């Protein structure tokens, strides 16, 4: 076992793990068996009917299901159409940014030059 817990110590002949559990492995199995019998004996068989979420009549449940199915049949094509329309819009406007004095404060030169690191890596800046 782990860290010598499987050795028997003392006169009772039990291992340290068995002492913590309160007895031998046979008593542990007996306790588990009795607990299982008590659990099974206390279980009450329920009828095997499945109730839907609201507990309403079956006609109301079918009407609700059809309503949401029809909403889905309308919503999915609309969402797909809007997605395709947005993806087809190819003009990405470049927004002009003001050159504020506090945006590019550089007290010392970067090892890669005066450009941003990702501009140098992507090849946009060859300074």
């Amino acid at each position: 076992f782990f860290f010598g817990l499987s050795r028997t110590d003392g006169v009772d002949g039990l291992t340290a793990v068995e002492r913590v559990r309160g007895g031998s492995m046979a008593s542990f199995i007996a306790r588990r068996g009795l607990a299982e019998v008590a659990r099974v004996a206390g279980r009450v068989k329920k009828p095997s009917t499945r109730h839907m979420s609201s507990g309403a009549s079956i006609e109301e449940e079918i009407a609700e299901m059809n309503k949401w199915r029809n909403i889905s049949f309308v919503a999915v094509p609309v969402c797909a159409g809007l997605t395709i329309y947005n993806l087809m819009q190819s003009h990405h406007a470049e927004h002009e940014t003001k050159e504020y004095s506090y945006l590019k404060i550089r007290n010392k030169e970067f090892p890669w030059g005066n450009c941003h690191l990702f501009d140098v890596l992507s090849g946009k800046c060859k300074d």
Side-chain angles (χ1 to χ4, degrees), residues 21-22 24-41:
R21 286 185 180 159
S24 66
M25 186 57 99
S27 65
F28 174 72
I29 291 172
R31 281 194 313 253
R32 286 291 295 235
L34 288 174
E36 183 68 21
V37 168
R39 187 180 65 81
V40 171

Side-chain angles (χ1 to χ4, degrees), residues 46-63:
K46 294 182 180 178
S48 62
T49 59
R50 180 175 177 242
H51 297 288
M52 296 208 174
S53 60
S54 68
S57 70
I58 193 72
E59 292 83 16
E60 291 172 341
E61 295 291 341
I62 291 172

Side-chain angles (χ1 to χ4, degrees), residues 3-23:
F3 289 111
L5 291 179
S6 64
R7 292 187 310 219
T8 56
D9 297 327
V11 247
D12 55 0
L14 296 175
T15 64
V17 174
E18 290 170 344
R19 221 176 276 112
V20 169
R21 286 185 180 159

Side-chain angles (χ1 to χ4, degrees), residues 8 12-13 15 20 27 32 35-36 38 43 55 65 70 72 81 84 86 94 104 116 120 123-125:
T8 56
D12 55 0
T15 64
V20 169
S27 65
R32 286 291 295 235
E36 183 68 21
R43 187 183 305 163
M65 179 189 67
N70 292 335
S72 298
I84 291 170
N86 284 333
E94 289 286 330
K104 290 187 179 180
H116 295 289
V120 173
K124 292 180 183 176
C125 181

Side-chain angles (χ1 to χ4, degrees), residues 81-120:
L82 286 173
T83 301
I84 291 170
Y85 174 75
N86 284 333
L87 291 176
M88 289 175 51
Q89 302 299 319
S90 63
H91 56 278
H92 297 284
E94 289 286 330
H95 299 288
E96 293 183 19
T97 58
K98 293 183 179 180
E99 295 293 329
Y100 293 109
S101 62
Y102 55 83
L103 286 180
K104 290 187 179 180
I105 298 176
R106 297 199 173 133
N107 295 328
K108 63 180 182 178
E109 194 71 22
F110 289 126
W112 53 84
N114 200 19
C115 298
H116 295 289
L117 177 61
F118 294 109
D119 289 342
V120 173

